[in-house]
Amino acid sequence: MLFGKKKAQKNICVLLDSATSSVLARGTMDGPPEGLNVQVNIIEGNAQAVINAEHVQIVPADEAQPPRLGHVIHRQGNLLVLEPLRVLTGEKVRENLRMPVDFSTFVYPTDGRKGRFRAQANDLSCGGFSFYCDDVFQVGDTVEIVIPITRVAPLLLRCQVLRKNLETDGSFFYAVKHLNLLSEQESMIREAVFSVQLKFMQKQAAGRRRA
């Protein structure tokens, strides 16, 4: 379920350093996706960092296009040409898109209880979400969680509780996995994770320039 819908931009992609899984840049892919090489026009981030990386992960926002491992073979301004080495499969790519987040949200029980419970986000990925909340859920429970940081509109996602831990300060930590995630929803989560990572990197770069 989405609070709002908008067709995802299918040519958007993010480039990650394969060694560290950190986001280096975001751009648009030009040319056919099945082409021999991948052309990316950088619109955010650091093109030179992409060039300096030995290998990069090319991760399209469109979930239907598989992520690929590649490296830069040519640059013309903000346009990079990358040679794809192989397709990346499995859950590793999703895990690499996990990013610490800091926002307040609400969790809704689906067992008939009324109301909602305030939660504090910890991290977000295309595979799941973790947060702090009161002692109100158990492992195996199905819940609905609002993700308010997507670009178009907040998402309401159905999730299942995988882990629950009591923290030393008395709060409860929950880790959940997304259930029945639609392609459009995954694209929106990817975009949100990418944006958070890029803003974090830009703040770090600004801090280094001021030092």
Side-chain angles (χ1 to χ4, degrees):
M1 175 181 178
L2 285 76
F3 286 166
K5 283 190 176 183
K6 182 178 179 181
K7 189 174 181 180
Q9 292 178 277
K10 291 192 175 183
N11 63 337
I12 290 289
C13 73
V14 164
L15 304 174
L16 296 86
D17 187 325
S18 186
T20 63
S21 299
S22 60
V23 170
L24 302 175
R26 187 167 73 100
T28 57
M29 290 188 295
D30 299 325
E34 67 278 4
L36 180 63
N37 294 320
V38 179
Q39 298 182 44
V40 179
N41 184 41
I42 302 299
I43 57 178
E44 285 184 276
N46 190 336
Q48 188 59 48
V50 179
I51 295 171
N52 293 341
E54 183 177 2
H55 296 105
V56 295
Q57 295 179 11
I58 309 162
V59 185
D62 180 12
E63 188 265 347
Q65 297 184 35
R68 287 179 280 183
L69 186 72
H71 64 93
V72 177
I73 58 175
H74 180 69
R75 177 184 184 180
Q76 184 175 353
N78 285 332
L79 180 65
L80 303 181
V81 179
L82 298 98
E83 179 186 20
L85 302 177
R86 60 183 173 87
V87 171
L88 298 171
T89 59
E91 290 297 312
K92 183 178 180 180
V93 174
R94 282 190 173 195
E95 287 300 313
N96 286 348
L97 299 181
R98 182 176 300 278
M99 185 65 187
V101 289
D102 183 18
F103 58 82
S104 295
T105 187
F106 292 100
V107 183
Y108 297 82
T110 62
D111 58 4
R113 283 182 290 170
K114 301 294 184 182
R116 60 186 185 179
F117 299 90
R118 185 174 292 276
Q120 183 63 36
N122 179 65
D123 67 35
L124 173 67
S125 76
C126 294
F129 180 62
S130 69
F131 59 93
Y132 297 93
C133 189
D134 293 336
D135 183 16
V136 288
F137 303 112
Q138 302 301 324
V139 173
D141 284 356
T142 299
V143 298
E144 291 183 334
I145 300 175
V146 178
I147 306 298
I149 62 170
T150 47
R151 287 174 180 256
V152 179
L155 287 176
L156 182 64
L157 300 179
R158 182 170 286 260
C159 305
Q160 185 178 45
V161 178
L162 298 179
R163 298 194 311 277
K164 174 183 178 180
N165 295 323
L166 175 61
E167 302 295 292
T168 55
D169 62 359
S171 62
F172 285 84
F173 173 84
Y174 296 88
V176 303
K177 68 175 181 180
H178 303 311
L179 296 177
N180 304 318
L181 198 64
L182 301 177
S183 294
E184 183 179 13
Q185 293 173 325
E186 178 155 349
S187 295
M188 292 175 71
I189 293 174
R190 284 188 181 190
E191 277 286 280
V193 172
F194 297 160
S195 296
V196 170
Q197 289 188 336
L198 283 168
K199 287 177 183 177
F200 176 74
M201 291 174 62
Q202 289 163 358
K203 285 182 180 179
Q204 282 188 318
R208 288 193 294 268
R209 287 194 294 269
R210 288 194 297 267

